[in-house]
Structure formats: C-alpha cells, structure tokens
Amino acid sequence: MLTRRQLLSGLGAAAWSLQAGVARATTARALDLPELLRLSGAVSVATPIEAQSRWERVGGQRRIVTYVRLQLEQTWLGEPEAQPLVRTLGGQVGDTGQVVHGEAPLALGQRALLFLTPRTRELRSVAGMAQGHYPLLEGPRSPARLTQSPGLPTLVDVDAASAVVRLSGQRLDDASRLVVEAAREAR
Amino acid sequence: MRRGSRLAASGLALGVLLVSATASGYCRTTTCDPRRQACPRDAQGCMTGGIPLAWPEACVGFSVQRDGSVKLGIDAGTLRGIVTDAFATWQAAACAPTIAWSPLEDASCAEVQYNSQAPNANLWLFRDEVWPYDDGGKTLALTTVTYNLKTGAIYDADVELNAAQNLLVARDPRGPREVDLRSIVTHEAGHVLGLAHSGEPDAVMNERYRSGTTSLRELTADDVSGVCAIYPADRPLGVCRPVPRHGFSPSCATEAPLEEGGCCSVAPGRRRGSEALALAALLGGALLAATRRRARRA
C-alpha cells in the first residue's frame, strides 16, 4: 500500500515531470541511484557562480572545456567544500563553440542537486554527466523540486529504478532521504 | 512493503514522465550555452536562445576510423556503410533536405578534435579499450559538435562509440544485452545534423531506446519535420564540395594548442582582457584552498 505521503510525493513528481522541459542528446544507459552514488564522492546542493572555458586535452582529445565554480549550500554525502571547481566538457572560446551532447549544462545562478566525482584533489566532474545534474525549480509559494537536466542524454533501458526517474520531481527533503537511504543500502 | 510502495510512487512518476513525452516535438541545438548566459526554453523544452546550428554547405564529408572495433569484430567498412546508410535515411526525408554526406578516406586519427587553421575530419570512431569520460562507462555514444558562435554554422562533428563497455552489434540484435548499432548511429547522425531532442515518443530523436530493439532506425514524421526545418529546399547553397573545414586530413592534424586569440571565455560581465588571469586565479584559488585544507588537517 502507498502511504499518503508517498502517493503525494509520487504525484508531485509526476506533475513536475509534465512541466520540466528536457533536452536529450547522445545515448547512455540509465544509471540507477546506487550506481550514480558509486560514481560520486559527494552529493551537494550548489549554485554555479562563475565559469571559464578553454581549449584543453581531455582523455587524449583536444577539446573545449568549461571550469565552473560552485557555491555549495548543502552537502548530503561526502566532504563539504565551500566552492569546489567542476570541469565540464564543451563551452565557448572566442568565436568557436563546442557542444558535447549529454554533458551537464551547469547554468550560472541555477541551484541544482549535483552528484560530484573527484577528478583530482582540487577538481570535480559531474558524475554520470547530465544524469548527475538536477536543477531545482522553485516557485514563490511552492517548495523547490528537482527537475531533469536539460542536457540529459537519450536514455537506454530507463525504468522506475533509474536515478532520473526516482529523483526528478522530488522535493529537496524527499530527495535527500532517498539519496541517504540509497547510500546506506549501497554500502 | 516500504520498498514496494516507493517503487510504486516512482513508477507513477515514470509513467507520467513517459506520457509527458507526447506533449512536444523536435528541438534544434543552438549556440546558447547556459554556462555563459541565460538560455530560455519554450513550453516544449526547446532552447529558444541563441542561433540554431546547421551545416552551411550542401555537401559534407565524413570519415571513419580505420581500425573499426577489433573488440566487437566490426571493421571500418561496416561502420562506414552503417554511417552512410544513416545519413541516407535522413537525406531521404520527403522534403529532400539540402545536405548530402559522402564518405571520405578512412582515418588513422582516433581523436576528437577541431582545427581552426588545419585540416579536419568529421570522424566516427569506436573506443575499444578505454572510455575516457566520467560517466561510469554508461554512455553508448558521444557526439561533439563544434560551431561558429556568431552564425551557428557547424564546423565539425565527431562521434565516439563506446565499445569498451557495450555490446554494439552491426546485425539485428539477438537479445536485450545487444545494442543496435544502426539505431544508435541514426540517432547520433540526427545530432550531427543539428537536431537536439524530440518529445515524440516514437521519434529517432526521442529520449528513450530499449536495447535489443531496432526502434531508432526509421524516421518518423517528427524527425522529418526537424531535418526539413534545418535544411529546407530554398536555402542558399554553394558548390557541392564534400570536404571538411580547412580540408581533409586522415591523420590527426596539429596546431597551436590555444588558438583563436586567447585561452578563455568568462562569465557574463567580465572583461575579455582579464580572461587568462581570471582562469589562472580560478585554478590557483582551488589549489590554495586545497593546500590550506591539507595544512589545517596536518
């Protein structure tokens, strides 16, 4: 049986899914929540405050990358950091732009729940690319809810266990409970 | 019982998530980058800011990496044929899109790159050994499109296929573990052409694919509308010359690592002249913070 809270949570998530615009690109297998957590060193609510792009070699490839500075607000799992630096693929340098379909588009000023992978001691990336990015949609009278990343790839074999399905549309406190419980079960 | 209830709630969300896909159609990729500026979206979720991307030429050449996938037993000729078929599928749309694709010489280069002053290759390649991105190996294919910010003209597009962690098959798949290479290539070709997602549930550019199926091989009316919007019959065209920007090179061309007059772009409001310093400060700040943390711990 569904409890009233769980039903309302599910309905809220469902209604939110109707509103959330989603851009899909590239192709990736859907990550379930424990898989996403295994890729993550930290799970945080944060706001991108600054971004810088440059040409750089990544995995042997010469690409444009964008470094995004985050202002952390809450850390649910992992070690809290005030302003971690995250590297994302793609960006714009001079008159040249590069879009990497499937990467998390960390919009400046947009609060989001982020699953972060440590790359080096100083540098993070978004775990699972856009599957680890959940922008928060907040209205003046309604609590903030998680939405799917606009950069979400085309998902292969998505089902009810997929992280994007379990988290999208959830209120922050419900999402926090889901993440912490999943992390406990994953141990 | 609690787990079952949570699953039911999630299932409800999933159900509506999937139903919601019927509310919208194709979207185009644009020059708008949300890491630099606000990128508004319409009710369908399509980005409305920026300039929509398109290849300006009537004819574009592509190349496949000459090793194919040794691991999957798919040679370069097979991949070339599948990519050629995929572009032909898009080109066969009823409006006769004004773009044609031609296979060029197979490339020895196995790098995603765009050279602003040297030859290029619009490359399709398998990654057999290592998938070099932080996605848990879950990505099947990754498309990188390089474009001109001011015009939306696509300069170059490279597609990486993850053979390291996925069973991509060139024939019809024989079970749920197998992923139909033709479906994936047809979908990625849509991105190469300048399309983003589609909310139409059966579209090649839709957000879902079930492995073991061939569901993304054939265009739907929505896919056709998308490609016809980008490449209509009346767009101005030059001479058909299927050569990548600055010529074609089957080997990885090299040029100065930080070309085009500088290294960095910055968040809105910052002066360009301070860009290199700003990036150095950003990276230096991270280093300093880490050093201080280490010192505190010690």
Side-chain angles (χ1 to χ4, degrees), chain A:
Chain A
M1 285 289 290
L2 284 171
T3 65
R4 181 184 165 83
R5 181 182 172 85
Q6 284 161 345
L7 183 62
L8 287 174
S9 175
L11 283 171
W16 218 256
S17 298
L18 280 170
Q19 292 182 31
V22 181
R24 287 103 180 171
T26 299
T27 314
R29 290 187 186 278
L31 288 160
D32 63 30
L33 196 47
E35 284 176 320
L36 188 56
L37 286 165
R38 274 193 288 276
L39 296 175
S40 309
V43 181
S44 299
V45 178
T47 304
I49 53 174
E50 188 177 18
Q52 315 271 347
S53 299
R54 60 175 293 171
W55 286 95
E56 196 169 283
R57 290 199 78 82
V58 178
Q61 322 297 306
R62 191 169 158 279
R63 293 178 164 282
I64 295 178
V65 297
T66 299
Y67 288 88
V68 180
R69 171 75 68 200
L70 301 177
Q71 180 67 54
L72 250 60
E73 177 188 320
Q74 304 172 26
T75 295
W76 296 350
L77 295 172
E79 191 176 339
E81 295 174 279
Q83 294 190 333
L85 192 62
V86 178
R87 189 177 73 186
T88 57
L89 301 178
Q92 297 174 344
V93 177
D95 287 343
T96 304
Q98 200 167 67
V99 58
V100 178
H101 291 298
E103 181 57 286
L106 303 180
L108 290 176
Q110 166 75 68
R111 285 173 83 209
L113 175 67
L114 292 167
F115 293 75
L116 298 173
T117 300
R119 290 200 55 79
T120 65
R121 194 174 286 275
E122 293 80 25
L123 199 58
R124 309 286 174 262
S125 61
V126 181
M129 301 174 86
Q131 291 193 68
H133 174 224
Y134 296 85
L136 282 161
L137 204 54
E138 24 207 343
R141 293 179 186 173
S142 53
R145 286 186 185 271
L146 274 57
T147 60
Q148 298 171 78
S149 172
L152 201 64
T154 289
L155 291 176
V156 176
D157 298 338
V158 63
D159 60 25
S162 305
V164 68
V165 172
R166 291 185 70 184
L167 293 175
S168 298
Q170 298 287 355
R171 290 167 24 161
L172 259 188
D173 53 350
D174 292 328
S176 170
R177 199 184 63 251
L178 277 174
V179 167
V180 171
E181 282 180 11
R184 197 177 300 138
E185 287 169 13
R187 276 188 211 128

Side-chain angles (χ1 to χ4, degrees), chain B residues 260-286:
Chain B
E260 298 197 353
C263 75
C264 323
S265 63
V266 297
R270 193 176 288 271
R271 290 176 57 197
R272 278 194 62 150
S274 64
E275 290 172 353
L277 278 175
L279 181 67
L282 198 63
L283 294 169

Side-chain angles (χ1 to χ4, degrees), chain B residues 53-123:
Chain B
L53 304 190
W55 293 88
E57 301 90 356
C59 307
V60 185
F62 72 89
S63 185
V64 300
Q65 209 279 331
R66 68 182 180 192
D67 297 331
S69 171
V70 175
K71 183 180 177 187
L72 297 177
I74 300 173
D75 62 22
T78 303
L79 177 60
R80 191 188 324 115
I82 289 173
V83 176
T84 302
D85 289 350
F87 281 127
T89 297
W90 285 99
Q91 201 178 342
C95 66
T98 46
I99 185 163
W101 291 83
S102 306
L104 304 170
E105 179 187 343
D106 293 350
S108 57
C109 179
E111 288 189 20
V112 169
Q113 61 172 210
Y114 168 68
N115 299 300
S116 64
Q117 293 160 18
N120 288 285
N122 298 307
L123 189 63

Side-chain angles (χ1 to χ4, degrees), chain B residues 199-275:
Chain B
E200 284 296 316
D202 297 327
V204 165
M205 300 313 294
N206 184 251
E207 78 275 23
R208 283 173 295 134
Y209 167 71
R210 180 65 57 183
S211 55
T213 72
T214 59
S215 62
L216 302 185
R217 287 186 184 183
E218 304 295 330
L219 304 191
T220 65
D222 183 65
D223 298 311
V224 169
S225 297
V227 72
C228 291
I230 304 175
Y231 303 102
D234 60 352
R235 76 176 181 129
L237 293 170
V239 179
C240 178
R241 189 168 165 267
V243 177
R245 189 171 165 81
H246 304 305
F248 169 67
S249 170
S251 56
C252 298
T254 54
E255 62 181 10
L258 301 174
E259 81 284 29
E260 298 197 353
C263 75
C264 323
S265 63
V266 297
R270 193 176 288 271
R271 290 176 57 197
R272 278 194 62 150
S274 64
E275 290 172 353

